[in-house]
Amino acid sequence: MQVVTNPRVLQEETIRWRREGLTIGFVPTMGFLHEGHLSLIERARAKADKVVVSIFVNPTQFAPNEDLASYPRDPVRDQALVESAGGDILFMPSDADMYDPHAATWVEVPSFAKNLCGASRPTHFRGVCTVVAKLFNIVQPHYAFFGEKDWQQLALLRRMVCDLMFPVELVGCPIVREDDGLARSSRNVNLLEQERAEAPYLNKGLELAKRLVEQGARDVAKVIEAVEIYYNQHIFLGKIDYLSCVDPDTIENLDHVETRCLFAVAMRFSKVRLIDNRLVCAQS
Ligand code: AMP
């Protein structure tokens, strides 16, 4: 496996691969890798001839008050994991490699960025879209793999890829969870012990929403209220940032449960904000 830091060097290599007729699978990450990331790399390995994994903690998607400085990092361990998962190139640029000091271009999908995480992180998705657009231009992938854990991000990137005609197919991959149901996240290490004990209830609350819909509930406000009560009974150290039911494709709020709907939650603990979601399909 090659480790590359210079975007131009990587771009030359991927252009060469394309000329040889090889397909390229791309897995963008912020590192501190876990089973969730590895599942994306496995999918890429199975679908493409060459696999590029990037590790870049993108500063433009963090607001000044957010956890950029405390975001967990372990590049040496990550490198070994990507190599054993079958990555061909690990791309680890510095901030200066990725952002020219005079950079002035942003990519935005405002209508998809206003709800859920965008409401409390108003500049987050602009940073995500911009860095992913740049990474696509550097890596030139045929396929790019994203986790459904960040469902809103995936929906918004699908819109961006369609609108800007990137020649790439986005592949959504299911959420990988711990044995107790907590969605795997690099940020989980920043939970305090008691917070870690409460965190699995995030997923259990979403399961309750799914069960209520399966039992016939259609009024979103009532389902949300039941889940809020459940959270208040089981989670004492976390504060709900949002708990919403949205159209899974447009991320618009729903009042009534439709055939397909997404229950999504974000909760703030002392040093970490966790997100999770559940796609629910209602019988009409
Ligand atoms: P991150 O390093 O957190 O930016 O995540 C990089 C990619 O891995 C994104 O596409 C995430 O959605 C995906 N990912 C993170 N956690 C999980 C998980 N638990 N299951 C599946 N995919 C995940």
Side-chain angles (χ1 to χ4, degrees), residues 28-30 34 36-37 40 71 146-147 149-150 174-176 184:
T29 81
M30 297 206 299
H34 51 69
H37 299 114
L40 307 191
Y71 196 85
F146 291 89
K149 161 136 188 303
D150 299 276
I175 302 175
V176 176
R184 288 191 185 250

Side-chain angles (χ1 to χ4, degrees), residues 74-168:
D74 192 343
V76 174
R77 179 173 168 274
D78 284 350
Q79 196 171 320
L81 285 172
V82 174
E83 179 143 35
S84 61
D88 294 292
I89 289 187
L90 173 57
F91 179 48
M92 300 175 87
S94 68
D95 292 0
D97 289 322
M98 285 299 284
Y99 290 104
D100 183 284
H102 304 292
T105 306
W106 293 103
V107 181
E108 290 190 73
V109 190
S111 60
F112 278 66
K114 62 184 193 296
N115 202 0
L116 305 186
C117 289
S120 58
R121 307 184 74 190
T123 57
H124 171 68
F125 287 115
R126 182 180 77 162
V128 170
C129 286
T130 303
V131 82
V132 171
K134 287 166 75 98
L135 288 166
F136 283 175
N137 284 333
I138 296 164
V139 178
Q140 320 220 17
H142 296 81
Y143 311 105
F145 299 81
F146 291 89
E148 290 174 351
K149 161 136 188 303
D150 299 276
W151 188 288
Q152 183 176 17
Q153 168 176 281
L154 179 54
L156 167 135
L157 291 174
R158 284 194 193 288
R159 191 69 254 161
M160 178 190 84
V161 160
C162 179
D163 292 349
L164 299 185
M165 297 186 180
F166 280 98
V168 57

